[in-house]
Amino acid sequence: MDLSTTANRPLYRETSQRRPVFNTGKLVSALCITGVSLYLLVTLLLPLMAMLARSVQDSQGRFVGIGNFAEYLGTHALTQSISNTLTIGFVVTGIVVTLAFLFAYGLTRTCMPCKTAFKVLGMLPILAPSLLPAISMIYLFGNQGVARDLLMGHSVYGILGIVIGLVFWTFPHALLILNTALSTSDARLYESARVMKSSALRTFLTVTLPAAKFGLISTTAVVFTLVVTDFGVPKVIGGQYNVLATDIYKQVVGQQNFAMGAVISVLLLLPAIIAFLVDRRVQKRQKELFGSRSVAYQPEPSPIRDRLFLVICSLMIMAILSIIAMAVYGSLVTFWPWNLELSLQNYRFENFSAQGWVPFFNSLKLATGTAIVGTLVIFITAYCVEKVKMAASIKWLIQVMTMLPVAIPGMVLGLGYIFFFNQPENPLGMFYGTMALLVLNTVAHYFTVGHLTALSALKKLPNEIEAVAASLKIPQYRAFFKVSLPVCLPALLDIGIYLFVNAMTTTSAVVFLYSSDIMPASVAVMNMEDAGQNGPAAAMAVLIMLTAATVKVVHLQVGKKLLNNTQRWRR
């Protein structure tokens, strides 16, 4: 017997161990990465590329290069819209940032009473469509307005009405950012200033403003982008004061000139992208101003300062409530201004439109679908970026595409959807004209904020979760459902309500994509206002706001109970 040969033979066969093991976890991860990449490609990148391609083609689809741009820039009436858009952007941004800073300063740096109530009331405009303040302006300062004399002969139809409406609509967005920026300050800096006998003004200029400068710059970028890309307010109350957003609508809907609409869309992209790039650069340079050794700043009572900011904040809240109350009142007046009897006549939408209540229920379907689909896709995308191993190039591409929507105006994205999905050779064309496409478009439009929220929640989770799961041979997808998902439930609820509210109030993102069967309520408001039916338009706008507010209240109550069951570990 040859011992040299038998010594190298195994005493038992490891046939079962030599078989390739099917790794379910890696397959699920690969499928998720592939699905996320394709989703972002189809809903964001390809429609945007289709819009850019259309801007350099004529009506027959022939390539004309920059000919369309030369034609547009050579028309004085059209190029005036560029100047008007930038003027509105700078004026509204300056007013809103100033007012929101004063309001946030009152909430965070004073001891004025009723702070919680002020904060809640200051956020009310975010629940209303941008069309609501425009309609309210008509009731307040229009030709038959109750307060038209306050304008001293000036017309509200034009730059004045646009500015007032957009200040109302963008105020809560600025307040959110500035309230956060001013709420985290190191008390040691103020103590040092007090020891050095620095005056209140010098302390404000050398301590408060530098600490809030990044928040101020981010607020400026966000508000400017919202203003120059808004469509609702200029459409309703702009009169002959044209801006780029209304020019796109006129070219596409009024003249069916899709090539020129694409050209204006590209021009509208430029200020939004510039503002976005400035904000991103500022965020990269931002340093941590509140560390583990910092002491949270607590304002001390000052009767004169506290009363002053109480008056300032009260005046702002009165202005906000006046605009909302006027819209509600206008929706209840039987026939303005001839029959001022209060009734629910304007809420009988079937008397004013063939669709009746259908647009409202369409908006509920759109908002619900957007909240469910959007929350699911956004969280999976954020999880893939933060927790799943992938090639650096793929991760970079996904990160770029997730940040694109914040710089793309809703009308531009909607126009891109027309060019991409309404192509005969595109197999995805079956979605065109359906509620599913409206959901995809709305999710894509509001993707970035939800994505950043999900990323912030996931970054708080230790990486050891996946490592422990791997050591215990637990698939990553099971760790996702057992740990990551329950822990991040508060962020998921926030993302869902954010998407729901914005889907209820949006106009620009879906104005090119709806059909008569799937018309959302916000578009119905615009159509009724176009037909001179201000009362029903106000009623539908108020109904949208009340629905968003009700859902927000239910979200807070249900979410509180749900979080008590899933977040006990935080205690």
Side-chain angles (χ1 to χ4, degrees):
M1 184 176 181
D2 189 356
L3 296 177
S4 62
T5 57
T6 58
N8 296 326
R9 294 177 184 176
L11 299 178
Y12 60 92
R13 293 185 179 181
E14 298 178 326
T15 55
S16 60
Q17 296 182 8
R18 291 179 179 178
R19 293 176 183 174
V21 178
F22 186 74
N23 196 323
T24 307
K26 289 185 178 180
L27 177 62
V28 172
S29 299
L31 290 176
C32 287
I33 295 172
T34 304
V36 165
S37 302
L38 289 176
Y39 177 85
L40 294 173
L41 189 68
V42 170
T43 60
L44 287 172
L45 196 57
L46 292 180
L48 185 60
M49 293 176 63
M51 189 273 297
L52 293 173
R54 192 69 180 86
S55 67
V56 293
Q57 297 174 354
D58 61 12
S59 58
Q60 305 300 321
R62 295 186 295 263
F63 178 77
V64 294
I66 62 172
N68 292 331
F69 291 89
E71 179 183 351
Y72 179 83
L73 296 176
T75 306
H76 175 73
L78 296 178
T79 53
Q80 183 64 37
S81 298
I82 300 177
S83 175
N84 292 345
T85 300
L86 295 177
T87 300
I88 291 291
F90 290 127
V91 171
V92 174
T93 300
I95 295 174
V96 170
V97 171
T98 301
L99 294 179
F101 184 85
L102 290 173
F103 200 95
Y105 190 91
L107 293 178
T108 59
R109 302 302 177 90
T110 72
C111 295
M112 69 176 189
C114 306
K115 288 186 180 181
T116 302
F118 277 115
K119 186 174 182 180
V120 172
L121 294 175
M123 296 306 299
L124 281 180
I126 208 170
L127 301 175
S130 63
L131 296 164
L132 185 141
I135 295 173
S136 187
M137 290 299 102
I138 296 176
Y139 284 113
L140 283 170
F141 306 115
N143 296 331
Q144 303 294 334
V146 297
R148 63 184 182 276
D149 294 337
L150 294 178
L151 298 184
M152 295 178 292
H154 296 282
S155 174
V156 74
Y157 297 99
I159 184 173
L160 184 59
I162 296 175
V163 168
I164 297 175
L166 287 176
V167 166
F168 171 89
W169 183 62
T170 58
F171 177 81
H173 299 273
L175 179 60
L176 275 173
I177 302 173
L178 289 176
N179 190 66
T180 302
L182 289 172
S183 61
T184 54
S185 296
D186 193 345
R188 296 176 301 173
L189 298 176
Y190 291 89
E191 183 64 27
S192 300
R194 189 180 300 109
V195 170
M196 297 175 65
K197 298 182 180 181
S198 178
S199 65
L201 177 60
R202 186 175 181 181
T203 302
F204 176 80
L205 295 176
T206 58
V207 179
T208 303
L209 277 184
K213 66 178 180 180
F214 295 108
L216 283 167
I217 295 174
S218 293
T219 303
T220 301
V222 169
V223 173
F224 183 81
T225 302
L226 289 173
V227 170
V228 300
T229 60
D230 180 66
F231 166 72
V233 174
K235 174 67 175 63
V236 172
I237 206 168
Q240 300 302 315
Y241 195 87
N242 295 325
V243 294
L244 288 174
T246 55
D247 274 358
I248 296 174
Y249 184 80
K250 292 176 181 177
Q251 292 292 331
V252 174
V253 176
Q255 303 181 26
Q256 298 292 302
N257 191 343
F258 290 94
M260 194 58 67
V263 168
I264 305 173
S265 297
V266 173
L267 296 176
L268 186 59
L269 269 175
L270 296 179
I273 290 178
I274 291 173
F276 167 73
L277 293 177
V278 169
D279 182 47
R280 294 295 296 174
R281 183 174 180 83
V282 168
Q283 289 184 11
K284 288 182 178 180
R285 297 180 60 183
Q286 185 172 0
K287 298 179 181 179
E288 182 179 319
L289 299 175
F290 195 85
S292 59
R293 297 183 179 180
S294 300
V295 179
Y297 176 76
Q298 296 293 335
E300 297 179 357
S302 175
I304 296 178
R305 182 201 61 193
D306 296 343
R307 291 172 185 172
L308 175 62
F309 275 92
L310 179 62
V311 172
I312 293 174
C313 294
S314 297
L315 290 175
M316 294 187 200
I317 293 301
M318 288 175 60
I320 291 173
L321 293 179
S322 297
I323 293 176
I324 295 176
M326 196 64 227
V328 174
Y329 176 70
S331 71
L332 295 174
V333 170
T334 301
F335 186 65
W336 183 275
W338 315 113
N339 184 356
L340 299 181
E341 181 182 355
L342 301 182
S343 69
L344 295 177
Q345 182 66 30
N346 291 324
Y347 288 86
R348 298 175 181 174
F349 301 118
E350 64 276 5
N351 296 335
F352 306 97
S353 171
Q355 284 83 17
W357 279 78
V358 172
F360 175 72
F361 294 114
N362 285 338
S363 281
L364 288 180
K365 295 177 184 177
L366 172 61
T368 303
T370 300
I372 295 174
V373 175
T375 303
L376 179 64
V377 173
I378 286 172
F379 190 72
I380 291 177
T381 302
Y383 187 84
C384 288
V385 171
E386 185 65 22
K387 299 294 184 179
V388 177
K389 294 181 180 180
M390 66 180 79
S393 57
I394 297 178
K395 186 174 184 177
W396 177 84
L397 180 61
I398 292 177
Q399 288 176 324
V400 169
M401 287 192 289
T402 56
M403 298 307 298
L404 271 179
V406 76
I408 302 177
M411 296 188 73
V412 175
L413 188 62
L415 196 58
Y417 271 53
I418 294 179
F419 298 143
F420 177 69
F421 286 96
N422 196 26
Q423 293 293 330
E425 63 274 10
N426 188 349
L428 298 176
M430 61 181 179
F431 291 108
Y432 192 77
T434 65
M435 181 63 72
L437 189 66
L438 296 186
V439 171
L440 290 176
N441 176 264
T442 309
V443 171
H445 183 43
Y446 297 105
F447 197 96
T448 301
V449 174
H451 178 72
L452 293 176
T453 302
L455 274 183
S456 299
L458 288 168
K459 285 181 180 296
K460 296 178 182 179
L461 296 180
N463 294 327
E464 287 79 4
I465 293 176
E466 285 73 23
V468 171
S471 65
L472 296 176
K473 297 182 180 180
I474 298 175
Q476 188 172 356
Y477 70 88
R478 290 189 61 187
F480 170 83
F481 285 108
K482 292 291 185 179
V483 180
S484 300
L485 192 60
V487 170
C488 294
L489 187 58
L492 289 174
L493 293 175
D494 290 340
I495 295 170
I497 194 64
Y498 169 81
L499 293 174
F500 185 94
V501 170
N502 281 283
M504 284 294 301
T505 59
T506 186
T507 302
S508 60
V510 297
V511 71
F512 293 140
L513 301 176
Y514 74 93
S515 62
S516 58
D517 296 333
I518 58 172
M519 177 190 297
S522 57
V523 176
V525 173
M526 182 186 68
N527 291 342
M528 286 188 286
E529 196 280 330
D530 277 345
Q533 300 170 344
N534 290 335
M540 186 68 82
V542 169
L543 198 61
I544 293 172
M545 183 184 66
L546 292 178
T547 302
T550 302
V551 172
K552 180 62 178 178
V553 172
V554 172
H555 157 254
L556 293 176
Q557 296 300 321
V558 175
K560 184 178 181 179
K561 294 181 180 180
L562 188 60
L563 296 180
N564 285 336
N565 296 328
T566 60
Q567 304 297 307
R568 293 178 181 175
W569 60 274
R570 294 181 182 272
R571 304 172 189 172

